[in-house]
Amino acid sequence: MAAAALSLAIVAGLFGQSSPPLPPVQPPAQQQPPTIRSGADLVRVDATVIDNRGRPVPTLSADDFEVREDGVPQDIRSFKFVAVTGHPDEGDENSLPIRSPAHAAAEAARDDVRVFLIFWDEYHINRMASALHAREYLSRFVKTAFGPTDLVAIMDPLTPTDAIRFTRDRHALSETVRTLRGRLGEYIPPRSVVEEAHLQSREGVERLRSHVTLTALKAAAVELGSLRQGRKSIILISEGMRGLPRDEHMGMMSDLIRAANDSNTGIYTFNPRGLTMSRSPAFEMLQALATNTGAEWSSSNDLDRALQRVVAQSSAYYLLGYSPAQRAFDGKFHKIEVKVKRSSLDVRARAGYWAPTIADMKRAERESASTLPPAVAAALAQLTPDAARRSVDLWIGTSLDAAGQPQVSLSWAPREGGDSAEASDVASASVVATSEAGPAFDGDVDREGLTFNAPPGPLRIAFSARDGAGDVLDRHDRTIDVPDPARTGLWISSPQVIRTSNALELRKVKADPSPTPAPGREFSRADRLLIRFTVHGANAGPAEVTARLLNNRAAPLTPLNVARTGANCEIDLPLISIARGEFLIGIEARHANERAQVYIPLRIAR
């Protein structure tokens, strides 16, 4: 039977015949319209056709296909066969080694490159037989199955999307596979403060672990969708999620399947327990996940052949495009069925798409036409990685010292996973600061940061990070505005963001009058931030100081409490209740007609 023709009601069948077909949940208002359209009204479908031996069939024409949307036949307006061998073109060998995530992203965007992500669901893999069995097959798979140009990455439920590293180094992949562990039913020791929070929660560890796995899978599918429009493959190794109430399970599965379909990503599922899991609820869930994303599931005791089929099915596919005969902007799920008129052939294709509403389209037009305030845009720009991503995070702030003179503070830290070098390669750093009046500072800066006085006005700062041999690994060049203490209007010093991960760190920070600010702006939901700043100006005393958490369009989400002692202010912000994503903290000081604002960007990655 063609996989695309299977109903999304398979998932509902896990919970009884009376359950509504998946996906039952309407898309949240904040989500963008689907990305599968490649023209004003053209729907694109990538279809893999295989014979009864699992081999791609490359000899079909447009007349051999039948496409239906919601049961209505559609005219195929565009058609193309794509063959990808995994081998480079002649003279292209120099691009094979992956030098950085930016290079990997550029390679992934190519039509002649296949992209695979192996998702090791350690929360739902037994540490003994299942893990040993799966590692044995995966080790052979990563060594032998892929071509020289194929991009492959490995992640687990706790891997943030910005830490996914695609590679062509088969030895490195094999070494990573050797480190994989199964942790089904094992909670001690916790791997992170997130897992420490799981142990203290009353919601149940298995339920929370299933949340983490499904959320990470969805984030992975979205991340793959950002790399390219063409087909991508996630290889999910799992015995199946558990502990979720029925409605919650169905809702999260619906969101995951939708994200995978919108991102044109097939989720191939492999149960390391093999045939012993056949017809269990966990097996049926994995089956439904694969079926509804145009992929395959496997419960065989021999994973070699099943894994090889993933690569084979990614080597040849057809691009079909059609304009819906009954155009609808209704915000509903529209089912796509792709069939081949020849017998004994199966089709793998996405199961459908969510149509935007008229309101969605108008809102998107308004958002695209509108521009963010310059201060907001400048703050959010700090979250956008450079074309060549940094090895070092750098923060520079301005304030007044105890004598009321302007000063500049600076902190830095190696960025874990940076492209130019690993964190351990950064051995030293130096700063040269130059004002219009001449040099303001020239010297080394250690991991504790530094503070120096500088005259009011523009100040050019050149920061360099070096390795042990003295070679420059990273360089930042910035020009900042040093405040004039004589100014009378309200203004706010550069906020310092101090990051803590546990109660002990929090107590140390609160007892330290000058802790080192966090130079980066990416955090975990397990972090707790202390944000300190000072209000200056003739009317600083009577000024009202407020703060709000904003979304990345600067729309207010919730007010934040500001503790104030004279001109000094502090915000205590636990991130546990904030979802993953990009946000702003907007701080405002207001008195009569005077107003001062600053914005702090945050990315909560995990």
Side-chain angles (χ1 to χ4, degrees), residues 13-70:
L14 302 179
F15 308 102
Q17 296 300 317
S18 61
S19 299
L22 183 73
V25 182
Q26 294 297 321
Q30 71 270 23
Q31 292 191 356
Q32 297 299 315
T35 57
I36 68 172
R37 297 180 183 275
S38 57
D41 61 352
L42 195 68
V43 176
R44 165 180 165 162
V45 184
D46 294 18
T48 299
V49 182
I50 58 177
D51 60 21
N52 54 14
R53 298 180 62 183
R55 299 173 302 186
V57 178
T59 57
L60 302 179
S61 67
D63 293 337
D64 292 312
F65 286 88
E66 178 182 293
V67 179
R68 293 176 179 266
E69 181 177 306
D70 297 330

Side-chain angles (χ1 to χ4, degrees), residues 124-152:
H124 304 101
I125 299 174
N126 182 276
R127 74 180 182 91
M128 297 301 293
S130 293
L132 292 171
H133 184 68
R135 280 201 305 269
E136 175 188 354
Y137 285 99
L138 272 183
S139 182
R140 284 198 299 271
F141 179 59
V142 299
K143 288 179 181 178
T144 62
F146 301 110
T149 64
D150 290 333
L151 290 176
V152 187

Side-chain angles (χ1 to χ4, degrees), residues 46 105 132 143 167 178 236 239 320 337-338 343 358 396 423 459 500 512 555 597:
D46 294 18
L132 292 171
K143 288 179 181 178
T167 183
R178 289 180 55 191
L236 171 61
E239 295 180 25
L320 309 176
E337 298 176 75
V338 182
S343 60
I358 296 295
I396 304 172
L459 183 72
T500 68
D512 187 348
Q597 287 182 310

Side-chain angles (χ1 to χ4, degrees), residues 100-102 165 382 384-394 413-423 426 461 463-465 472-478:
S100 69
R165 292 292 180 262
Q382 299 178 42
T384 304
D386 299 333
R389 292 183 57 190
R390 298 290 190 178
S391 296
V392 170
D393 284 317
L394 176 68
R415 177 179 293 181
E416 186 176 353
D419 296 344
S420 299
E422 296 298 327
V426 182
I461 295 179
F463 172 91
S464 299
V472 175
L473 299 174
D474 199 359
R475 179 180 284 112
H476 293 249
D477 291 297
R478 299 184 189 176

Side-chain angles (χ1 to χ4, degrees), residues 463-523:
F463 172 91
S464 299
R466 294 178 170 82
D467 62 15
D471 294 328
V472 175
L473 299 174
D474 199 359
R475 179 180 284 112
H476 293 249
D477 291 297
R478 299 184 189 176
T479 298
I480 65 170
D481 184 35
V482 178
D484 186 349
R487 63 195 288 187
T488 58
L490 277 177
W491 62 281
I492 300 171
S493 68
S494 302
Q496 297 186 354
V497 179
I498 301 99
R499 177 182 191 168
T500 68
S501 299
N502 53 55
L504 179 60
E505 289 183 5
L506 182 64
R507 287 196 296 270
K508 287 182 177 180
V509 166
K510 285 186 173 290
D512 187 348
S514 55
T516 302
R521 288 295 175 261
E522 184 168 296
F523 303 99

Side-chain angles (χ1 to χ4, degrees), residues 399-408 433 439-441 451-455 459 482:
S399 61
L400 301 182
D401 63 16
Q405 296 303 307
Q407 64 180 10
V408 176
F441 181 88
T451 298
F452 58 89
N453 291 107
L459 183 72
V482 178

